[in-house]
PDB file of all heavy atoms in Angstrom:
ATOM      1  N   GLU F 291      82.781  26.289  48.314  1.00  0.00           N
ATOM      2  CA  GLU F 291      81.452  25.692  48.458  1.00  0.00           C
ATOM      3  C   GLU F 291      80.474  26.714  48.886  1.00  0.00           C
ATOM      4  O   GLU F 291      80.662  27.430  49.856  1.00  0.00           O
ATOM      5  CB  GLU F 291      81.490  24.542  49.470  1.00  0.00           C
ATOM      6  CG  GLU F 291      80.129  23.861  49.656  1.00  0.00           C
ATOM      7  CD  GLU F 291      80.265  22.645  50.584  1.00  0.00           C
ATOM      8  OE1 GLU F 291      81.338  22.239  50.911  1.00  0.00           O
ATOM      9  OE2 GLU F 291      79.176  22.129  51.015  1.00  0.00           O
ATOM     10  N   ILE F 292      79.315  26.754  48.182  1.00  0.00           N
ATOM     11  CA  ILE F 292      78.227  27.698  48.524  1.00  0.00           C
ATOM     12  C   ILE F 292      77.028  26.902  48.890  1.00  0.00           C
ATOM     13  O   ILE F 292      76.608  25.978  48.192  1.00  0.00           O
ATOM     14  CB  ILE F 292      77.891  28.578  47.319  1.00  0.00           C
ATOM     15  CG1 ILE F 292      79.101  29.405  46.882  1.00  0.00           C
ATOM     16  CG2 ILE F 292      76.713  29.480  47.574  1.00  0.00           C
ATOM     17  CD1 ILE F 292      78.918  30.115  45.554  1.00  0.00           C
ATOM     18  N   ALA F 293      76.470  27.211  50.073  1.00  0.00           N
ATOM     19  CA  ALA F 293      75.211  26.576  50.490  1.00  0.00           C
ATOM     20  C   ALA F 293      74.070  27.469  50.025  1.00  0.00           C
ATOM     21  O   ALA F 293      74.087  28.672  50.204  1.00  0.00           O
ATOM     22  CB  ALA F 293      75.158  26.416  52.004  1.00  0.00           C
ATOM     23  N   THR F 294      73.110  26.871  49.346  1.00  0.00           N
ATOM     24  CA  THR F 294      72.002  27.709  48.768  1.00  0.00           C
ATOM     25  C   THR F 294      70.719  26.930  48.721  1.00  0.00           C
ATOM     26  O   THR F 294      70.718  25.729  48.365  1.00  0.00           O
ATOM     27  CB  THR F 294      72.395  28.195  47.323  1.00  0.00           C
ATOM     28  OG1 THR F 294      71.293  28.883  46.815  1.00  0.00           O
ATOM     29  CG2 THR F 294      72.754  27.029  46.426  1.00  0.00           C
ATOM     30  N   PRO F 295      69.561  27.565  49.054  1.00  0.00           N
ATOM     31  CA  PRO F 295      68.313  26.916  48.926  1.00  0.00           C
ATOM     32  C   PRO F 295      67.841  26.980  47.465  1.00  0.00           C
ATOM     33  O   PRO F 295      66.802  26.387  47.104  1.00  0.00           O
ATOM     34  CB  PRO F 295      67.430  27.726  49.832  1.00  0.00           C
ATOM     35  CG  PRO F 295      67.991  29.089  49.804  1.00  0.00           C
ATOM     36  CD  PRO F 295      69.510  28.873  49.737  1.00  0.00           C
ATOM     37  N   ASP F 296      68.576  27.691  46.609  1.00  0.00           N
ATOM     38  CA  ASP F 296      68.184  27.879  45.225  1.00  0.00           C
ATOM     39  C   ASP F 296      69.340  27.533  44.264  1.00  0.00           C
ATOM     40  O   ASP F 296      69.906  28.495  43.648  1.00  0.00           O
ATOM     41  CB  ASP F 296      67.715  29.357  45.041  1.00  0.00           C
ATOM     42  CG  ASP F 296      67.026  29.600  43.647  1.00  0.00           C
ATOM     43  OD1 ASP F 296      66.913  28.618  42.889  1.00  0.00           O
ATOM     44  OD2 ASP F 296      66.713  30.749  43.408  1.00  0.00           O
ATOM     45  N   PRO F 297      69.748  26.288  44.171  1.00  0.00           N
ATOM     46  CA  PRO F 297      70.862  26.005  43.309  1.00  0.00           C
ATOM     47  C   PRO F 297      70.601  26.260  41.849  1.00  0.00           C
ATOM     48  O   PRO F 297      71.526  26.517  41.021  1.00  0.00           O
ATOM     49  CB  PRO F 297      71.100  24.496  43.561  1.00  0.00           C
ATOM     50  CG  PRO F 297      69.828  23.976  44.064  1.00  0.00           C
ATOM     51  CD  PRO F 297      69.233  25.093  44.849  1.00  0.00           C
ATOM     52  N   GLU F 298      69.300  26.296  41.460  1.00  0.00           N
ATOM     53  CA  GLU F 298      69.021  26.609  40.058  1.00  0.00           C
ATOM     54  C   GLU F 298      69.402  28.075  39.751  1.00  0.00           C
ATOM     55  O   GLU F 298      69.964  28.304  38.647  1.00  0.00           O
ATOM     56  CB  GLU F 298      67.496  26.469  39.804  1.00  0.00           C
ATOM     57  CG  GLU F 298      67.027  24.969  39.806  1.00  0.00           C
ATOM     58  CD  GLU F 298      66.944  24.316  41.171  1.00  0.00           C
ATOM     59  OE1 GLU F 298      66.863  25.112  42.137  1.00  0.00           O
ATOM     60  OE2 GLU F 298      66.960  23.104  41.304  1.00  0.00           O
ATOM     61  N   ARG F 299      69.155  28.954  40.714  1.00  0.00           N
ATOM     62  CA  ARG F 299      69.507  30.375  40.418  1.00  0.00           C
ATOM     63  C   ARG F 299      71.076  30.484  40.365  1.00  0.00           C
ATOM     64  O   ARG F 299      71.573  31.155  39.443  1.00  0.00           O
ATOM     65  CB  ARG F 299      69.006  31.286  41.557  1.00  0.00           C
ATOM     66  CG  ARG F 299      69.433  32.725  41.481  1.00  0.00           C
ATOM     67  CD  ARG F 299      68.815  33.415  40.274  1.00  0.00           C
ATOM     68  NE  ARG F 299      69.356  34.748  40.120  1.00  0.00           N
ATOM     69  CZ  ARG F 299      70.397  35.054  39.294  1.00  0.00           C
ATOM     70  NH1 ARG F 299      71.012  34.117  38.665  1.00  0.00           N
ATOM     71  NH2 ARG F 299      70.781  36.329  39.231  1.00  0.00           N
ATOM     72  N   LEU F 300      71.764  29.825  41.293  1.00  0.00           N
ATOM     73  CA  LEU F 300      73.224  29.917  41.268  1.00  0.00           C
ATOM     74  C   LEU F 300      73.736  29.206  40.062  1.00  0.00           C
ATOM     75  O   LEU F 300      74.716  29.593  39.399  1.00  0.00           O
ATOM     76  CB  LEU F 300      73.812  29.325  42.525  1.00  0.00           C
ATOM     77  CG  LEU F 300      74.219  30.276  43.627  1.00  0.00           C
ATOM     78  CD1 LEU F 300      75.399  31.114  43.209  1.00  0.00           C
ATOM     79  CD2 LEU F 300      73.050  31.130  44.078  1.00  0.00           C
ATOM     80  N   GLY F 301      73.111  28.072  39.674  1.00  0.00           N
ATOM     81  CA  GLY F 301      73.546  27.312  38.485  1.00  0.00           C
ATOM     82  C   GLY F 301      73.380  28.172  37.210  1.00  0.00           C
ATOM     83  O   GLY F 301      74.215  28.132  36.356  1.00  0.00           O
ATOM     84  N   SER F 302      72.291  28.940  37.165  1.00  0.00           N
ATOM     85  CA  SER F 302      72.104  29.815  36.014  1.00  0.00           C
ATOM     86  C   SER F 302      73.205  30.841  35.922  1.00  0.00           C
ATOM     87  O   SER F 302      73.749  31.158  34.851  1.00  0.00           O
ATOM     88  CB  SER F 302      70.753  30.478  36.106  1.00  0.00           C
ATOM     89  OG  SER F 302      70.567  31.447  35.095  1.00  0.00           O
TER      90      SER F 302
END
Side-chain angles (χ1 to χ4, degrees):
E291 181 176 348
I292 299 172
T294 176
D296 189 4
E298 289 75 20
R299 175 68 186 93
L300 261 295
S302 174

